[in-house]
Amino acid sequence: MRKETIVATLAIAASMTLQAQTNELVVQTKKLGAPIQSTMYGLFFEDINYAADGGLYAELVKNRSFEFPQHLMGWNSFGNVTVKDDGPFERNPHYVRLAYPGHDHKYTGLDNEGFFGIGVEAGKTYRFSVWARLPQGGTSETLRIELVDTQSMGEQQAFATETLTVNSTEWKKYQLILKPEATNPKATLRIFLTSKGTIDLEHVSLFPTDTWKGHENGLRKDLAQALADIKPGIFRFPGGCIVEGTDLDTRYNWKNSVGPVENRPLNENRWQYTFPHRFFPDYYQSYGLGFFEFFQLSEEMGAEPLPVLSCGLACQFQNDDPKAHVEVCDLGSYVQDALDLIEFANGDVTTTWGKVRADMGHPAPFNLKFIGIGNEQWGPEFPEHLAPFVTAIREAYPDIKIVGSSGPNSEGEQFDYLWPEMKRLKVDLVDEHFYRPESWFLAQGARYDKYDRKGPKVFAGEYACHGVGKKWNHFHAALLEAAFMTGLERNADIVHMATYAPLFAHVEGWQWRPDMIWFDNLRSVRTSSYYVQQLYATHKGTNVLPLTMNKKPVTGADGQNGLFASAVYDTDSNEIIVKVANTSDRPQSLSLKFEGMKKQAVLTDGRCIKLHTDNPDAENTLDTPATIMPKETPISIDGRTLGVELEAQTFAIYIYKVK
């Protein structure tokens, strides 16, 4: 009995010692380390999950120019409606003709279903516009434009109604304002012909008047604001795989996405055919959100634009036949597209493409500094295709930095092949992608510690933690992303850019998850992964500070109790910022020691920001958007050592001003 008591006592003592063990993190403040690039943390946009049409792009009408292969897809027609193909816009020739139905008590018109419905809010205003004409002459004909609730039990389906008079035999743009009396996330736009003549309609459009920055061909305000609130340093667009296309004919073609919006041709979305288990046969790109709008958004967010263009290789995941790709000897037009894009962004208004930009309302250059060529290509085909782009861009625009790729995987045969090839071609940055499980992120804290400092820099261009059996935005995945990012920050001399992916997902139109921001037709929610990205971007500092535990970087290695940490200094605010992720399932006692400070220096105005939840499977949703949010509290320090207990499964940022 006495022996059992002794054993039990020793076990309790050992447990208490383990819990009381202090993890001493030493921050060396005497000498500033590598500068942190302004582009370090940013955003990657791809039109997947209805991120553009039906998402960030605020257009509420689907198939507004009747150019879908099934020309009335998205529309229900009634009465005397015909589709014509000799319209006023060369690249969008189709339009509809509304004519007298043959009886005074019959009706001609159209209903548009929008994107999973049309979301409108009571009291707000919406701009309806249409190009129209009177093809058979006459002085005027009339339309009734309505927002309707087809499921209504009320006497009237319509809850916003206005009359539009068409008064010309020539094509003209007409506009009116609708002000709904009710909020409805799934309204229908209805157009009645209310006179006995004939009217032709083209480019039928409905936008909220309150778009991001008030642009008429604008962006959905809540979604754009969420992007701006991250304070991104870099904005990569228009995507990854959509740059390649299922075939080259349907790759994203930037030249088709600029100029008057009415004449931007339809494009088939690369993701339309990719996921038959979540299939959306009406997934097309209107190009209304085009390269001008991407550049403009970059400028308004304060982010450097990073456009990515096709290298002449169609998506290799979908094409085994070499004939699907452009031969290297025939890449001339693709290389010219890249040179023309730089001219579009930076050229004087007297240049061909600089004038296109100026005519769109932006005579000043966008000051483009980076360009990506290719996405997730692999094999010898990629460097062979990339080489002529590098040669041409270096000759014409030597200051532009070129981004290459290490392929679709974070390691392995293709990764090991492509990195030396990117060094040989002397690209400036290499785009790495990793959608990986928890075990990968926990093992990658020191990933960049031994990278070659003399070669190209790293762009962690697409990454997210995909929980095994949990492909949603639960907190634990975000915590491991935060832990991994300490390694990005510690290696800021080699890692110059990082962007989570994908960015957006419509709750009724998603094909890929997890995603940073989810939305429906009226609401949006910022995930815990969003808040991790925002915390890093808004507390990135200007220079790395060495941080060690037992003279080693804190990378979640054996003996480091699941801790990951990094430290930076901000020369603008005179702040020391320490980021610590506790990925273990128990609290950890921390001792943060700030060494090397001047004798008269003091640490003041301390604050701690934490991202935590007691349930690692918890997530923010549209109905509960504030389940997981950063919480800030003041925190004092005794001299130059901070003693705290960091809760299990918690990401924390400790900030002190140096005076």
Side-chain angles (χ1 to χ4, degrees), residues 16-17 45 58 84 135 188 195 199 252 287 297 307 336 350 355 385 412 424 430 508 517 522 538 545 547 558 613 622:
M16 292 176 63
T17 300
F45 180 91
K84 302 289 187 177
T188 296
S195 57
I199 301 179
Y252 194 104
Y287 277 146
L297 177 59
Q336 190 62 49
T350 61
K355 184 179 185 303
H385 279 69
R424 178 180 65 81
V430 177
E508 295 181 64
I517 300 166
L522 293 178
T538 54
L545 291 176
L547 183 154
D558 290 344
T613 177
L622 290 170

Side-chain angles (χ1 to χ4, degrees), residues 244-261:
E244 306 160 2
T246 301
D247 48 49
L248 289 174
D249 287 341
T250 56
R251 75 189 189 280
Y252 194 104
N253 186 334
W254 79 264
K255 288 181 176 177
N256 287 342
S257 79
V258 298
V261 68

Side-chain angles (χ1 to χ4, degrees), residues 95-109:
Y95 62 96
V96 293
R97 176 163 293 173
L98 308 186
Y100 180 61
H103 191 290
D104 288 354
H105 291 267
K106 293 183 180 181
Y107 296 92
T108 288

Side-chain angles (χ1 to χ4, degrees), residues 274-292:
T274 306
F275 298 112
H277 60 288
R278 290 192 61 81
F279 191 57
F280 297 97
D282 58 352
Y283 199 0
Y284 292 89
Q285 296 170 322
S286 70
Y287 277 146
L289 175 54
F291 264 49
F292 179 86

